[in-house]
Amino acid sequence: MKSFVALAAFTAAVVAQTPPGCSENSDGTFVIQPTNITSAPGQLDKRQVRTICGSTPIITLRDGVLEDQQGRTGGIVANSQFQFDELVQEGSLFLDGFSICGNSSLAVGGSTIFYQCLSGTFYNLYKQSQGK
């Protein structure tokens, strides 16, 4: 099952754009929580409250670069998946250019839209749609 999500905050091959009202720096730390924007407003989807990868990543954002509590860099890798890695993956699409917007959403490449795809019992997040 695929649905659209926006990520809320509780050397790139593509030129990154910071949307208006967004900043490439954040004071302190934050967590990332998917928010299903295809649901009716006010309806909380139970998937929204699950943690990503079995734990809640605690994130910092400095100069457009995401880093988790384990020192891994956040990015959009070659297959468009959003993930954190110790070693930068060759062919990554975005390793910087992330920003936090005034509505607490996470943006990269000028957009706050990400896609979630069910993978067994959890969801992977992607920058581009991965199917129908």
Side-chain angles (χ1 to χ4, degrees):
M1 181 179 132
K2 180 192 77 167
S3 57
F4 302 97
V5 296
L7 295 182
F10 293 2
T11 313
V14 180
V15 177
Q17 302 169 342
T18 302
C22 301
S23 173
E24 290 190 329
N25 291 288
S26 177
D27 294 332
T29 60
F30 57 93
V31 297
I32 294 176
Q33 174 180 316
T35 301
N36 189 333
I37 60 173
T38 58
S39 296
Q43 290 183 342
L44 181 64
D45 185 324
K46 290 183 187 224
R47 292 174 300 199
Q48 294 176 18
V49 296
R50 289 187 190 162
T51 58
I52 300 171
C53 302
S55 66
T56 302
I58 299 171
I59 311 301
T60 59
L61 175 65
R62 290 187 190 94
D63 299 323
V65 177
L66 295 172
E67 188 174 289
D68 72 4
Q69 71 271 26
Q70 296 177 17
R72 300 175 299 183
T73 301
I76 307 295
V77 297
N79 70 350
S80 192
Q81 186 173 344
F82 176 73
Q83 62 189 50
F84 287 85
D85 291 308
E86 278 186 44
L87 301 174
V88 174
Q89 289 192 26
E90 186 175 331
S92 290
L93 303 175
F94 290 95
L95 297 174
D96 61 9
F98 288 91
S99 57
I100 293 287
C101 303
N103 65 356
S104 297
S105 61
L106 183 69
V108 67
S111 174
T112 60
I113 303 296
F114 293 80
Y115 300 84
Q116 67 179 10
C117 291
L118 185 61
S119 178
T121 60
F122 64 94
Y123 289 87
N124 286 325
L125 298 175
Y126 294 88
K127 183 65 184 142
Q128 296 179 335
S129 176
Q130 300 298 301
K132 297 178 182 182

